[in-house]
Amino acid sequence: MDFPKVLRPGQVGTIRVKVETGKAAGPHTKSVTIRTNDPSETSHVVQFKFDVKG
Amino acid sequence: MKPTLRNAHWIALLCLMLTAACAALESNNAPANNNAAPAADTANANTPPTLQPAPSLTAVPPATAPAPTATTPPVPATAQPISPTAAKPAAQPAAHVEGPKLVMVSQEHDLDFGKQPQDKALVRPIRIKNGGTQTLNIESVSPS
């Protein structure tokens, strides 16, 4: 995964996430955990949803 | 006239004179006694003292004091102590947060890939922002 290591105050960054759909058909959910030095939230979970056509 | 009859007349006259003198003495003494204590008149006067009826004691009902109205003091509004450190605005913008702050710019619909074919690699960008006042360090991004 490609992501910036440092963000200054007010700066916007982009994290590129790669997800494999696999062979199983139907709705799926994939999660990605982002860990930072934010004292209020040291780890943030991001969920991706997709529906694999059978 | 016989001497006995004459004597009887003289005796009767003397009695009359005596009674008249007594009456005169009593009439002379009456005004002098008025200046003295009036209470003595009731004892000395011939007329019986008039008994005044005793004052009737009527039970006076106690003054009906107005029922104390249960007036509860108005409950003051919950006054929260205001201290310089405790006073914080309700809606605090992310830019004013002390220290680094991770803010998700991408919305939920941006993370829904929809219908996709099998065995396909999907690449999606996740936009994040540092909403704090200090540098945000992204330590790791890993699948969970």
Side-chain angles (χ1 to χ4, degrees):
Chain A
M1 294 183 187
D2 186 16
F3 60 91
K5 298 295 180 60
V6 174
L7 287 178
R8 289 186 294 274
Q11 185 178 0
V12 179
T14 300
I15 300 174
R16 298 178 67 82
V17 177
K18 184 177 180 180
V19 178
E20 298 284 344
T21 57
K23 298 183 181 299
H28 295 274
T29 302
K30 295 288 186 182
S31 301
V32 173
T33 301
I34 303 172
R35 289 185 173 82
T36 64
N37 63 337
D38 183 356
S40 62
E41 190 177 19
T42 57
S43 61
H44 185 78
V45 178
V46 180
Q47 288 189 340
F48 296 93
K49 298 179 182 179
F50 54 91
D51 190 3
V52 178
K53 294 181 291 185
Chain B
M1 193 174 198
K2 291 183 179 181
T4 57
L5 289 177
R6 188 182 296 171
N7 293 332
H9 282 293
W10 283 109
I11 293 168
L13 284 174
L14 287 172
C15 290
L16 288 174
M17 290 173 68
L18 285 172
T19 53
C22 291
L25 287 174
E26 287 180 359
S27 63
N28 290 331
N29 291 330
N33 291 331
N34 288 334
N35 293 330
D41 290 340
T42 58
N44 296 328
N46 293 329
T47 58
T50 56
L51 297 177
Q52 294 181 358
S56 60
L57 298 176
T58 57
V60 177
T64 57
T69 57
T71 57
T72 57
V75 178
T78 55
Q80 297 180 358
I82 299 174
S83 60
T85 58
K88 291 184 179 179
Q92 198 169 10
H96 297 282
V97 175
E98 295 291 335
K101 177 66 177 175
L102 175 64
V103 178
M104 289 296 297
V105 178
S106 297
Q107 300 298 323
E108 185 175 353
H109 62 85
D110 295 332
L111 306 176
D112 189 355
F113 295 171
K115 291 189 178 296
Q116 298 293 332
Q118 294 176 344
D119 294 328
K120 183 178 181 180
L122 305 173
V123 179
R124 284 292 185 272
I126 301 175
R127 294 175 60 82
I128 59 174
K129 177 183 177 180
N130 183 4
T133 58
Q134 297 180 3
T135 301
L136 177 69
N137 298 326
I138 301 173
E139 300 173 357
S140 65
V141 178
S142 58
S144 54

